[in-house]
Amino acid sequence: MRLSVTTPRGALVDTDVDEITAPGLLGEFGVLPGHVPLMSALKPGVLTYRTHEQASTLAVGEGFLQVAPLVAGDTSTDRVLVLVDRASNASAVDRAAAAGELAKLEAEITAWKADLDGTYKALCVRRDWMQAQLDAAGRLNPS
């Protein structure tokens, strides 16, 4: 399968893979070669993919994943397109900084007294992104 992970800043991954695991809104799911065409919303979390040589881990933000034939009408080769608002290699995560920011955001969310407006939702999105980074880094080096 051909995997492409793209953010507003550009492509982060564009490679052939054997397997993908993604954080869907309804839970984590896997994609193997020959998967039926599908479109899924993604929540912030951990996206992993495996090639013949290695397994790789990314933290991803909100977005979408699409599985479709690479060429229209050709079901022998799949294309998996991941469009997310942000993504980071797990190895690039500063765990101490992410943990500190997560604690700060958790405190702000817990203390929130106003309506559940855009500011509250933005805090929740930032919290979920910090958690996704920590989860991704944790899969590389559990501590």
Side-chain angles (χ1 to χ4, degrees):
M1 298 180 295
R2 187 74 184 176
L3 171 64
S4 174
V5 178
T6 305
T7 71
R9 294 180 174 247
L12 182 64
V13 174
D14 189 21
T15 190
D16 290 323
V17 300
D18 298 321
E19 177 182 0
I20 302 162
T21 304
L25 283 180
L26 299 177
E28 195 172 79
F29 65 93
V31 178
L32 295 170
H35 200 287
V36 297
L38 110 99
M39 175 73 97
S40 176
L42 300 178
K43 66 180 181 178
V46 179
L47 184 137
T48 59
Y49 60 94
R50 188 175 48 80
T51 65
H52 292 303
E53 296 83 32
Q54 67 180 6
S56 298
T57 304
L58 302 174
V60 296
E62 294 178 325
F64 297 93
L65 178 144
Q66 177 191 39
V67 179
L70 189 59
V71 177
D74 178 11
T75 57
S76 63
T77 305
D78 297 322
R79 176 190 63 170
V80 180
L81 179 60
V82 177
L83 302 172
V84 289
D85 64 347
R86 61 183 95 190
S88 175
N89 284 305
S91 59
V93 173
D94 180 342
R95 291 174 86 169
E101 182 68 13
L102 179 63
K104 181 181 131 190
L105 290 165
E106 289 284 357
E108 283 185 59
I109 290 169
T110 301
W112 192 262
K113 300 280 191 241
D115 292 329
L116 301 182
D117 62 0
T119 304
Y120 178 82
K121 291 177 184 173
L123 287 171
C124 291
V125 167
R126 286 177 47 210
R127 177 205 52 205
D128 293 347
W129 171 240
M130 290 301 133
Q131 187 63 58
Q133 290 180 84
L134 288 171
D135 291 346
R139 289 197 188 180
L140 286 184
N141 299 312
S143 55

